[in-house]
Amino acid sequence: MTNLDRRRALSLGAALGLVGVAAPSKAWAWAATDSVAGTGTAADPEYIWDSATDPLMVSLLENGKVPAVNTAMAGWVDNRDALPSAFPAELRAHLEKYNKLPSWADPVKLARAADFNRRKDTYLFMLYGLGSGIMSTVIPREARSVYWSVGGADMKDRAAKTFTFGYDLSQLDAFAPSGQFIVTANKTRLVHAAVRHLLPQSPHWKAGADQAIPISVADILVTFHSLGTFVHKKLVDWKIPMSKADEEAFLHSWQVAIHLLGVPAEYIPQTWAAADAQSAQVLTPILAPTPEGLDLAEVLLGLTAEIDLGVTRGFLNEFVRYALSDQVGDWLGLRRDYAAAALVRTVWPAFILFREGLSPIAPTAFYVFDQFLRGVAMAFLNKGSSTTTTAITIPTGNRPG
C-alpha cells in the first residue's frame, strides 16, 4: 500500500467513522488479547474458513442432497423448532452441535440489546438499509460474490437479502425460543459453505477474484464491521443518546451473531474500541467500486424507489452521501442534488433531536423524513415478499451465463 493509498483509506475511514489514527496494514496485526477469547494463535483470518461446515456441505452438494434439504428447511424457521426429521443424519449432527447460543452468551445483555433495537429502530432502519446495504456494494469481494452466485440472477431478490441479517438480528425476540435469528444464522452458515465450494467453479467469479476460496473469516469480519461497527459509530457521530450498558449490549448481540456464523472467538472483538481497531485493518483499506457493485447499488436504490417515499431519487442519493461520504457517492455515480443535500444536512440533526425528545420543535421537513423512514423500512423489511421471515435456501450452482 502506497502512502497515497494510506491517506485515501484514512480519509474515507474518517468519513465513515470506521478508523482511528493508525494507518491500515495488509499484515494481520490485530491483538487476540482484545478478543472475546482473550488469546489466540495470531493466524491471519484471511486464510481461515469453516472447517466444521465446509466438508459437510461439499458432501451434501456432491451427493445431490441439497434440494431435499432445502425442502425440509422451509419449515425450520423459529429458534424453538425441532430439526427437520428429513435432514440427513450428518447435517442433523452438525446442527445439534452448532444451532445454539455459545456458553458465554449473556441473556441479560441480549435482552437489553433487543430493547435497544426497539428504541433506536428509526436509525437502524436507515443505517442498515442506506448505510450498510449500500456500503456492501463497495466491498469488492462481497459485491462480486453476491453478483456471481446463483442469487445474482435475480438481483432484486438478492439485493433485498444483502442486509436482512442485521434486520433479523434487530427483532425483539431474535435469540429467544420464539425468535428466528439462531436458525437464520445457521442457515446462512450453510449457504456460506456452499458458496465456498461453488464460486471457485465460476469462470466469471474467478476472472476478478483475488482469493482462491471466498468468504474467509476475514471476509465475515468485514461484513460485521460494515454492519455493527459502522452503525455503532454512526449512532455516536449523530449523538444518539446511548448508555454504556446499551452500547455493550448492542456489541454483545453482534458478538453472538458472528459466533453463530462460525467466526472463532479469538477474532471476535471484546469492546467497541477493539472493533474499531480491527475495522481499520480489514474494512477501510479494501473499499472500492466494481462493475458488480455498481449494478447492485442501482438495484438497492431502485428497491426503495418502488415505495412511494414522497421524495426524489436525489434525496436518496444525498442521504447515502451523508451516511457514507461523497467519495462513496462518486464511486457509485450518484447524481448530486444540492437542494436535497442541504435539506438532509440541516434537517436530519433537528429530526434526531425531536425524535429523542431533546427538542420540542419538529423540524420543518419532519413529515418528509418520517415518510422517508417508513418507506425505507417497508422496502427493506418486506424483502419483496414477507414481513415475517427471510427465505434462505442453499444454492446448488452459480449465476448462469
Side-chain angles (χ1 to χ4, degrees):
M1 176 178 288
T2 67
N3 288 334
L4 177 59
D5 290 334
R6 287 191 178 93
R7 288 196 297 272
R8 286 173 175 167
L10 286 166
S11 177
L12 178 58
L16 296 177
L18 291 170
V19 66
V21 296
S25 170
K26 287 185 177 180
W28 180 248
W30 190 75
T33 51
D34 290 333
S35 71
V36 168
T39 187
T41 63
D44 192 337
E46 173 75 7
Y47 305 103
I48 299 174
W49 291 271
D50 190 342
S51 60
T53 313
D54 292 348
L56 166 66
M57 190 50 58
V58 171
S59 175
L60 293 176
L61 283 165
E62 293 185 344
N63 288 290
K65 295 182 179 181
V66 169
V69 168
N70 280 333
T71 299
M73 200 163 65
W76 179 47
V77 176
D78 293 341
N79 297 334
R80 62 189 169 199
D81 289 347
L83 295 175
S85 59
F87 276 178
E90 62 269 34
L91 177 58
R92 288 180 59 86
H94 172 85
L95 291 171
E96 285 169 358
K97 182 176 182 180
Y98 294 105
N99 187 48
K100 58 186 177 182
L101 295 175
S103 60
W104 45 265
D106 185 331
V108 175
K109 286 185 177 180
L110 292 179
R112 188 179 188 101
D115 184 63
F116 174 77
N117 290 331
R118 176 189 62 80
R119 288 182 278 121
K120 307 301 179 184
D121 62 355
T122 296
Y123 317 113
L124 297 179
F125 287 154
M126 299 299 288
L127 288 170
Y128 283 138
L130 294 179
S132 302
I134 304 302
M135 192 193 299
S136 71
T137 70
V138 292
I139 299 173
R141 287 180 176 177
E142 184 169 344
R144 291 189 182 108
S145 293
V146 166
Y147 191 88
W148 292 114
S149 62
V150 69
D154 183 351
M155 289 296 288
K156 178 180 176 181
D157 178 71
R158 186 61 186 86
K161 293 177 180 177
T162 58
F163 35 73
T164 55
F165 196 82
Y167 284 142
D168 291 346
L169 178 60
S170 299
Q171 297 301 306
L172 279 173
D173 57 353
F175 295 100
S178 60
Q180 300 176 0
F181 185 76
I182 298 174
V183 171
T184 292
N186 274 276
K187 288 180 179 180
T188 302
R189 186 173 179 177
L190 295 175
V191 170
H192 285 172
V195 171
R196 289 189 195 100
H197 180 61
L198 293 169
L199 267 186
Q201 302 172 37
S202 165
H204 306 290
W205 177 80
K206 288 173 67 176
D210 63 350
Q211 57 186 167
I213 303 171
I215 318 180
S216 66
V217 167
D219 294 328
I220 297 175
L221 291 173
V222 166
T223 300
F224 155 57
H225 292 304
S226 73
L227 288 158
T229 306
F230 166 75
V231 167
H232 171 258
K233 195 65 171 64
K234 279 298 177 181
L235 293 176
V236 172
D237 290 346
W238 287 351
K239 297 180 173 57
I240 308 297
M242 296 182 289
S243 68
K244 182 178 180 180
D246 284 340
E247 293 183 76
E248 290 178 352
F250 184 58
L251 173 60
H252 190 62
S253 67
W254 274 104
Q255 291 169 334
V256 173
I258 58 176
H259 162 85
L260 291 171
L261 290 181
V263 174
E266 70 177 275
Y267 300 106
I268 301 176
Q270 177 72 281
T271 65
W272 280 121
D276 290 338
Q278 190 183 84
S279 179
Q281 182 171 169
V282 302
L283 173 60
T284 310
I286 58 102
L287 295 174
T290 62
E292 296 90 345
L294 291 173
D295 192 346
L296 182 57
E298 190 58 34
V299 172
L300 289 173
L301 291 170
L303 190 65
T304 63
E306 292 181 9
I307 306 298
D308 183 13
L309 302 177
V311 295
T312 66
R313 172 61 187 270
F315 190 91
L316 284 171
N317 288 354
E318 291 300 335
F319 198 94
V320 170
R321 287 177 175 273
Y322 179 67
L324 292 181
S325 79
D326 283 331
Q327 183 172 349
V328 171
D330 291 343
W331 282 346
L332 297 177
L334 302 183
R335 294 181 63 180
R336 297 307 309 257
D337 183 329
Y338 292 102
L343 181 67
V344 169
R345 295 171 191 274
T346 57
V347 178
W348 180 250
F351 181 82
I352 289 174
L353 289 174
F354 183 79
R355 279 279 185 178
E356 292 298 320
L358 300 175
S359 170
I361 303 173
T364 304
F366 176 90
Y367 181 75
V368 172
F369 274 100
D370 195 56
Q371 291 301 106
F372 184 50
L373 287 163
R374 292 175 186 272
V376 170
M378 287 177 64
F380 294 138
L381 288 176
N382 285 354
K383 311 175 187 78
S385 58
S386 173
T387 60
T388 58
T389 188
T390 304
I392 297 175
T393 56
I394 300 168
T396 56
N398 296 311
R399 179 176 181 147

